[in-house]
Amino acid sequence: MGNITSLNHDMSADTNVSADPEVLENLSKKGFVLCRNFFTKSYTGELNDNIQRYARLDHPGIIKEDDGITFRGIHGPHLYDSFFDQIASNKQIVALAEKILGEACYLHQFKINMKQKMTGQAWPWHEDFVYWREKDGITEPKLVNIAVLLDDTDMLSGPLCFIPGSHNRANTYAESDEKVISDWRNDLSADLNYKIDNESVADMIDAWGIEYALGNAGDLLVFNPLIAHCSGSNLSPFDRRLLILTFNAVSNAPAVQRGRPEFLCGRQPLV
């Protein structure tokens, strides 16, 4: 198994991240990059306060863990709440997405993975694009995930784990009508529909190793939709929340909507 390392690309909060060539270079080479101190501690605190407020209400797109009590994820909050709508249209984040994609983009998905203290469950090895291809009809992986760490993240809290360079390898999944037509909740549980098989994961780790996204609240994590990643359970006494904005190139928008709710498959272009 490869060495466990953190990602160490520094970025001050007032820097134009989209203009930094190292961001694009690392994203192309490894499939991910962590930019330090993008948001202030004060603002991430405000984000977390609003997440708690939002979660107390019965909004669509809120998912619980297997215990039926613990929050697992919040999806599409920008559709129902003006505070989160402002984050979805953050000019610096949108500019970074357009720089990476090379064209205008729109928000395909907005989610918050909650990973609550002591109870947040794992996410098995997977890559994201297969879901958007099979469930939403998006044909090309011309998307990018831009995430914000909302809590300080260490090994005990179940950080994201990446296989660097795995976005350049094609993964195969057993396709079946059952997976394609399954309830959208099956795509968000600890037992995902499209998992990367164990042998492929072992081969990739043997070739490229692994790296963990360890960082602090306010750090920005950018990653390719094809990169293999997972995360363990949160066994720490602190929450490990992660806000993820997924942008799709306008030219790559699905021609036909396949029926997943809008909080999973965005339909509105950014303006």
Side-chain angles (χ1 to χ4, degrees):
M1 183 174 292
N3 293 330
I4 298 174
T5 63
S6 62
L7 314 174
N8 293 299
H9 184 78
D10 292 331
M11 183 65 61
S12 63
D14 58 355
T15 300
N16 184 358
V17 63
S18 65
D20 192 318
E22 285 190 57
V23 173
L24 299 182
E25 180 181 345
N26 286 325
L27 185 61
S28 175
K29 180 180 178 181
K30 286 188 171 184
F32 58 89
V33 62
L34 191 69
C35 304
R36 302 288 186 185
N37 305 314
F38 185 82
F39 286 129
T40 64
K41 294 280 188 180
S42 174
Y43 186 66
T44 54
E46 185 179 355
L47 276 167
N48 286 328
D49 288 344
N50 277 276
I51 289 169
Q52 289 184 324
R53 171 187 59 79
Y54 186 89
R56 286 195 292 266
L57 304 175
D58 186 22
H59 288 291
I62 294 179
I63 298 295
K64 302 290 183 66
E65 299 283 14
D66 291 343
D67 62 11
I69 300 172
T70 306
F71 288 102
R72 180 171 177 82
I74 296 174
H75 301 81
H78 65 298
L79 299 173
Y80 314 105
D81 190 287
S82 60
F83 176 83
F84 294 105
D85 184 48
Q86 291 175 7
I87 302 167
S89 56
N90 178 281
K91 291 182 179 180
Q92 201 169 349
I93 291 178
V94 173
L96 175 59
E98 292 183 339
K99 182 76 170 180
I100 292 167
L101 297 173
E103 64 174 274
C105 62
Y106 69 96
L107 187 65
H108 175 67
Q109 199 172 91
F110 184 146
K111 61 190 173 192
I112 303 164
N113 288 342
M114 297 293 280
K115 273 288 173 79
Q116 295 196 275
K117 58 186 178 183
M118 307 299 290
T119 54
Q121 292 181 281
W123 290 86
W125 284 106
H126 68 286
E127 50 98 341
D128 294 334
F129 176 62
V130 64
Y131 293 91
W132 304 326
R133 184 188 69 204
E134 299 299 327
K135 296 302 186 75
D136 300 330
I138 295 177
T139 57
E140 300 292 334
K142 294 175 65 176
L143 305 99
V144 63
N145 293 311
I146 301 180
V148 181
L149 277 64
L150 299 178
D151 300 285
D152 294 347
T153 302
D154 58 21
M155 291 301 298
L156 194 60
S157 59
L160 277 179
C161 177
F162 294 106
I163 302 178
S166 59
H167 60 303
N168 293 316
R169 166 174 168 156
N171 294 309
T172 58
Y173 299 85
E175 296 183 11
S176 70
D177 290 340
E178 181 180 351
K179 287 183 178 180
V180 171
I181 66 174
S182 64
D183 189 280
W184 57 266
R185 294 171 182 82
N186 295 355
D187 301 326
L188 308 172
S189 70
D191 184 23
L192 294 176
N193 273 329
Y194 297 99
K195 294 179 288 233
I196 302 175
D197 66 88
N198 293 340
E199 184 177 354
S200 294
V201 170
D203 288 344
M204 287 189 287
I205 291 176
D206 184 60
W208 297 311
I210 56 176
E211 293 195 24
Y212 289 88
L214 307 178
N216 299 316
D219 291 349
L220 197 74
L221 176 65
V222 186
F223 59 102
N224 188 289
L226 292 174
I227 194 165
H229 61 288
C230 71
S231 65
S233 299
N234 184 0
L235 301 178
S236 81
F238 307 103
D239 293 335
R240 198 280 282 162
R241 291 158 290 194
L242 184 70
L243 185 156
I244 307 175
L245 302 172
T246 300
F247 295 93
N248 187 26
V250 169
S251 65
N252 199 39
V256 178
Q257 296 294 333
R258 292 191 175 180
R260 286 215 299 178
E262 189 173 5
F263 55 74
L264 290 180
C265 180
R267 299 174 177 86
Q268 298 297 323
L270 296 174
V271 293

